[in-house]
Amino acid sequence: LVATYNALLLEPLFDNASAKYDPRKFEWIGSIGKQQQICVTWHTSPIKSIQQAKEREIVVSATGATGNSATMPKMLNSMLGTKFKVVTGYTTAESRLAVERGEAEGICGLSYATLKASNPDWIINNRINVLVQTGTTAQAGLEKVPLLIDLVSDAETKKVLEMLAAPEEMGRPFFMPPGTPKEYVDVMRKAFDAALKDPAFLADAERSRLEVDPVTGAQMEKMITQAFETPKALIERAAKLKE
């Protein structure tokens, strides 16, 4: 059983020369939870909605130029007309400290599930304004926060966002190598699903603030297949949004 980063799942679609694999050939077992992204401002900011983010420039901290914290605000600027200014060069921890210190007004491209474990104070004590979230369905606790996919009207743009959301929906994926006998895959899928319902595991997860929102192997297999059926023109649009 192998764990991997969800960001790697669609790389072959974007002609990444280093991605010498086909995710459709893996035997997907399941995922512990999802990892949709959010865009936030600090609680002292007057910018408390995505609509207000269109009114003036907002400095957001980021790591590298190709990381989620840089690509998400650029996507929002392109699709919605927001005015995020990305400042790169921070480590992950430093980018969050920059927001707390007032060097940046916000940060985009955060995993809400990860944030609940790494910076629980931000959520428990209402230290952030969550402006928008990615994915196709609202995350638990963010039911009133708009989904990016609902804020665009163009059907093709929605299709692009659905494809880009697939890795986030698969969150923390586990798989077995191509060619694994189907009977082994079936046994492992059932065991994985059962483990995520085990009271002892759920108690440990709660103590660790680990978000448990399971995705089955069959669901993951379907998501991968659908993503790879995306028309080439839309894949090219998605690739430009990730630049």
Side-chain angles (χ1 to χ4, degrees):
L1 187 64
V2 181
T4 188
Y5 293 106
N6 60 10
L8 301 177
L9 301 184
L10 298 187
E11 283 306 301
L13 277 175
F14 302 121
D15 297 325
N16 184 335
S18 300
K20 302 182 186 299
Y21 53 88
D22 186 342
R24 291 170 294 182
K25 295 182 179 179
F26 297 157
E27 299 291 352
W28 296 101
I29 301 305
S31 173
I32 294 174
K34 302 175 184 179
Q35 286 190 306
Q36 293 105 312
Q37 299 172 44
I38 56 173
C39 184
V40 309
T41 55
W42 196 236
H43 66 101
T44 55
S45 170
I47 306 301
K48 301 185 185 300
S49 71
I50 196 64
Q51 187 64 33
Q52 290 176 324
K54 302 176 184 179
E55 297 172 0
R56 66 162 172 81
E57 183 178 272
I58 304 164
V59 173
V60 290
S61 56
T63 51
T66 59
N68 288 338
S69 54
T71 58
M72 184 178 179
K74 292 176 184 177
M75 283 176 57
L76 294 173
N77 288 348
S78 172
M79 292 183 171
L80 304 180
T82 51
K83 298 181 179 180
F84 293 109
K85 179 182 179 180
V86 180
V87 177
T88 61
Y90 293 97
T91 66
T92 299
E94 288 171 348
S95 67
R96 296 172 190 176
L97 284 173
V99 175
E100 292 182 344
R101 291 193 297 248
E103 292 174 20
E105 195 168 347
I107 183 171
C108 299
L110 291 167
S111 161
Y112 185 59
T114 300
L115 189 65
K116 285 197 286 188
S118 63
N119 295 74
D121 170 64
W122 283 24
I123 296 167
I124 294 170
N125 294 313
N126 299 313
R127 308 280 279 175
I128 51 175
N129 308 304
V130 184
L131 309 183
V132 69
Q133 60 183 312
T134 60
T136 55
T137 57
Q139 302 174 72
L142 297 181
E143 290 84 0
K144 295 183 179 180
V145 175
L147 287 157
L148 172 57
I149 198 168
D150 291 337
L151 298 178
V152 298
S153 56
D154 178 66
E156 288 193 347
T157 301
K158 285 181 180 290
K159 185 67 177 177
V160 168
L161 289 174
E162 284 177 6
M163 186 190 72
L164 291 175
E168 300 170 9
E169 296 283 342
M170 289 184 277
R172 306 175 189 276
F174 288 82
F175 69 94
M176 297 181 79
T180 303
K182 293 297 183 183
E183 58 267 29
Y184 293 175
V185 175
D186 290 341
V187 169
M188 190 61 75
R189 282 183 172 182
K190 290 176 182 177
F192 188 88
D193 294 346
L196 297 189
K197 297 175 183 176
D198 180 74
F201 170 80
L202 292 173
D204 284 342
E206 185 174 358
R207 283 192 291 270
S208 303
R209 299 192 180 94
L210 174 65
E211 183 85 359
V212 179
D213 187 8
V215 183
T216 68
Q219 289 172 326
M220 295 173 70
E221 188 176 306
K222 183 178 180 180
M223 290 178 195
I224 289 286
T225 299
Q226 290 177 336
F228 274 77
E229 290 174 349
T230 304
K232 184 67 175 178
L234 297 187
I235 292 173
E236 291 173 354
R237 280 188 60 185
K240 289 179 181 179
L241 287 172
K242 287 166 60 64
E243 291 177 354

